[in-house]
Amino acid sequence: MPFLRSLLHMLFMCVTVIPYTLVILLLRVCGASPDVRWKVARAWLALCVDASGWFCGVRYRVQGMEHLPNSDTDGVVLLSKHQSTYETFLLPAIMPRPLAYVFKKELLQIPFFGWSIGSLDMIHIDRKHGSRAFHKVVEQGKRLLEKGVWVIMFPEGTRVARGEVGEYKTGATRLAIMAGKPVVPVAVTSAKCWPRKAFVKTPGVVDVSIGKPIPTVGRKHEELMAEVQAWIEAEMRRLDPEAYPAVPAPLPAPAQG
């Protein structure tokens, strides 16, 4: 039954992405603003998140929304835990501002889905270009952040299994420092229901915890990322303690004398 439910969810996404993509492409041809195209894309992402509940029993709950800026002009860099595809759909659906992902250009080749994200104001890069790719992230990231668009990045770079910790890279904090914008850490327990590289979803609740913005002025990118990692990983252990080995209690100090 879980396989069948997951198959129906996948088919639902494959079918519904077609009309939404056609609308986005039409709006682009007609000269509609990026904000208008984003609203259409966001509606499809939200629909897919809802559908994961209908078909697969995957729900979510969010805490910390009050930590997010409420001004249309306050840009932030969201730094999120990355365990599955689920958060790439969920976070744009729940955030109050348009988001711009930094993603590899190969995704543009996916029919309909790739055409959609290629028509949005996001940042696609060729990872083979190294420093040139990062310069593009900084240039376009600054432009978007000044417009009030929030840039979202996964500092671990790729999806990690439940209970594991990837290598936190400093590209995101370097961007935030250079742009003079705060970073907002986000913990997501999506692998409880939708493990990485898994087709079958498991019913349950995905917890999302949003931290307070961390100022970047005067910070160094390594120690800033260390602070982000410490918050995210501590929060992951709080939200999903079953996924992490228990920390052994310290041994008592030897008796004196």
Side-chain angles (χ1 to χ4, degrees), residues 14-67:
C14 290
V15 170
T16 56
V17 72
I18 297 173
Y20 278 89
T21 296
L22 294 177
V23 171
I24 291 171
L25 295 176
L26 179 61
L27 288 171
R28 184 176 184 181
V29 170
C30 295
S33 69
D35 281 351
V36 173
R37 284 178 268 145
W38 166 257
K39 289 178 181 178
V40 177
R42 182 182 183 275
W44 179 72
L45 295 170
L47 179 65
C48 291
V49 169
D50 290 342
S52 68
W54 306 332
F55 292 110
C56 305
V58 179
R59 310 291 178 182
Y60 68 89
R61 58 189 172 204
V62 185
Q63 55 186 288
M65 289 290 287
E66 69 277 6
H67 296 152

Side-chain angles (χ1 to χ4, degrees), residues 75-79 145 150-153 172-173 175-176 181-185:
V76 298
V77 179
L78 297 172
L79 303 184
L145 288 165
W150 295 356
V151 175
I152 179 169
M153 299 178 72
T173 50
L175 166 62
K181 302 296 182 180
V183 298
V184 174

Side-chain angles (χ1 to χ4, degrees), residues 15-189:
V15 170
T16 56
V17 72
I18 297 173
Y20 278 89
T21 296
L22 294 177
V23 171
I24 291 171
L25 295 176
L26 179 61
L27 288 171
R28 184 176 184 181
V29 170
C30 295
S33 69
D35 281 351
V36 173
R37 284 178 268 145
W38 166 257
K39 289 178 181 178
V40 177
R42 182 182 183 275
W44 179 72
L45 295 170
L47 179 65
C48 291
V49 169
D50 290 342
S52 68
W54 306 332
F55 292 110
C56 305
V58 179
R59 310 291 178 182
Y60 68 89
R61 58 189 172 204
V62 185
Q63 55 186 288
M65 289 290 287
E66 69 277 6
H67 296 152
L68 296 171
N70 53 23
S71 170
D72 291 344
T73 58
D74 289 340
V76 298
V77 179
L78 297 172
L79 303 184
S80 175
K81 186 71 177 179
H82 194 20
Q83 290 189 328
S84 83
T85 304
Y86 187 74
E87 58 265 17
T88 64
F89 284 64
L90 175 63
L91 293 176
I94 64 174
M95 290 295 165
R97 295 292 301 158
L99 301 186
Y101 277 105
V102 178
F103 63 92
K104 56 186 180 181
K105 71 172 187 176
E106 288 80 4
L107 294 180
L108 298 173
Q109 300 172 9
I110 301 175
F112 294 102
F113 178 81
W115 305 341
S116 292
I117 59 177
S119 299
L120 302 174
D121 206 354
M122 296 194 182
I123 308 169
H124 58 272
I125 59 173
D126 188 338
R127 291 178 176 177
K128 294 182 294 185
H129 289 167
S131 60
R132 271 200 298 164
F134 179 70
H135 289 317
K136 181 178 182 181
V137 171
V138 172
E139 179 184 359
Q140 296 194 18
K142 283 183 175 180
R143 175 182 60 83
L144 291 165
L145 288 165
E146 288 302 321
K147 291 170 54 179
V149 175
W150 295 356
V151 175
I152 179 169
M153 299 178 72
F154 299 114
E156 290 165 291
T158 188
R159 290 168 292 177
V160 298
R162 184 183 180 193
E164 293 187 2
V165 181
E167 179 186 357
Y168 279 68
K169 301 176 178 65
T170 60
T173 50
R174 289 164 66 190
L175 166 62
I177 290 170
M178 295 173 75
K181 302 296 182 180
V183 298
V184 174
V186 181
V188 186
T189 64

